[in-house]
Coordinates of all heavy atoms in Angstrom, one line a residue:
Chain A
T191 N 114.5 55.9 -170.5 CA 114.5 55.4 -171.9 C 114.8 56.5 -172.9 O 115.7 56.4 -173.8 CB 113.2 54.8 -172.3 OG1 112.9 53.8 -171.3 CG2 113.3 54.1 -173.7
A192 N 114.1 57.6 -172.8 CA 114.2 58.7 -173.7 C 115.6 59.2 -173.8 O 116.1 59.5 -174.9 CB 113.2 59.8 -173.4
F193 N 116.2 59.4 -172.6 CA 117.6 60.0 -172.6 C 118.6 58.9 -173.1 O 119.6 59.3 -173.6 CB 117.9 60.6 -171.3 CG 117.2 62.0 -171.2 CD1 116.1 62.1 -170.5 CD2 117.7 63.1 -171.9 CE1 115.4 63.4 -170.5 CE2 117.1 64.3 -171.9 CZ 115.9 64.4 -171.2
M194 N 118.3 57.6 -172.8 CA 119.2 56.6 -173.3 C 119.2 56.7 -174.9 O 120.3 56.7 -175.5 CB 118.8 55.2 -172.9 CG 119.5 54.8 -171.6 SD 119.2 53.1 -171.2 CE 117.8 53.2 -170.1
V195 N 118.0 56.8 -175.4 CA 117.9 56.8 -176.9 C 118.5 58.1 -177.4 O 119.3 58.1 -178.4 CB 116.4 56.7 -177.3 CG1 116.2 56.9 -178.8 CG2 115.9 55.3 -176.9
A196 N 118.2 59.2 -176.8 CA 118.7 60.5 -177.2 C 120.3 60.4 -177.1 O 121.0 60.9 -178.1 CB 118.2 61.6 -176.3
G197 N 120.8 59.8 -176.1 CA 122.2 59.6 -175.9 C 122.8 58.9 -177.1 O 123.9 59.3 -177.6
V198 N 122.2 57.8 -177.5 CA 122.7 57.0 -178.7 C 122.8 57.9 -179.9 O 123.8 57.9 -180.7 CB 121.8 55.8 -178.9 CG1 122.2 55.1 -180.2 CG2 122.0 54.8 -177.7
Y199 N 121.7 58.6 -180.2 CA 121.7 59.4 -181.4 C 122.6 60.6 -181.4 O 123.2 61.0 -182.4 CB 120.3 59.8 -181.8 CG 119.5 58.6 -182.3 CD1 118.6 57.9 -181.5 CD2 119.8 58.1 -183.6 CE1 118.0 56.7 -181.9 CE2 119.2 56.9 -184.0 CZ 118.3 56.2 -183.2 OH 117.7 55.1 -183.6
A200 N 122.7 61.2 -180.2 CA 123.7 62.3 -180.0 C 125.1 61.8 -180.2 O 125.9 62.4 -180.9 CB 123.6 62.8 -178.6
W201 N 125.4 60.6 -179.8 CA 126.7 59.9 -180.0 C 126.9 59.8 -181.5 O 128.0 60.1 -182.0 CB 126.7 58.6 -179.3 CG 128.0 57.8 -179.5 CD1 128.2 56.8 -180.4 CD2 129.1 57.9 -178.7 NE1 129.5 56.3 -180.2 CE2 130.1 57.0 -179.2 CE3 129.5 58.8 -177.6 CZ2 131.3 56.9 -178.7 CZ3 130.8 58.6 -177.1 CH2 131.7 57.7 -177.6
G202 N 125.9 59.3 -182.2 CA 126.0 59.1 -183.7 C 126.3 60.4 -184.3 O 127.1 60.5 -185.2
L203 N 125.6 61.5 -183.9 CA 125.8 62.8 -184.5 C 127.2 63.3 -184.2 O 127.9 63.9 -185.1 CB 124.8 63.8 -184.0 CG 123.3 63.6 -184.5 CD1 122.4 64.4 -183.7 CD2 123.3 64.1 -186.0
L204 N 127.7 63.0 -183.0 CA 129.0 63.4 -182.7 C 130.1 62.7 -183.5 O 131.1 63.3 -183.9 CB 129.3 63.0 -181.2 CG 129.1 64.0 -180.1 CD1 129.4 63.4 -178.8 CD2 130.0 65.2 -180.4
K205 N 129.7 61.4 -183.9 CA 130.7 60.6 -184.7 C 130.6 61.0 -186.2 O 131.1 60.3 -187.0 CB 130.3 59.2 -184.6 CG 130.6 58.6 -183.2 CD 132.1 58.2 -183.0 CE 132.5 58.7 -181.7 NZ 134.0 58.7 -181.5

Side-chain angles (χ1 to χ4, degrees):
Chain A
T191 306
F193 283 99
M194 271 189 264
V195 172
V198 168
Y199 288 100
W201 179 264
L203 286 164
L204 266 179
K205 292 277 139 196

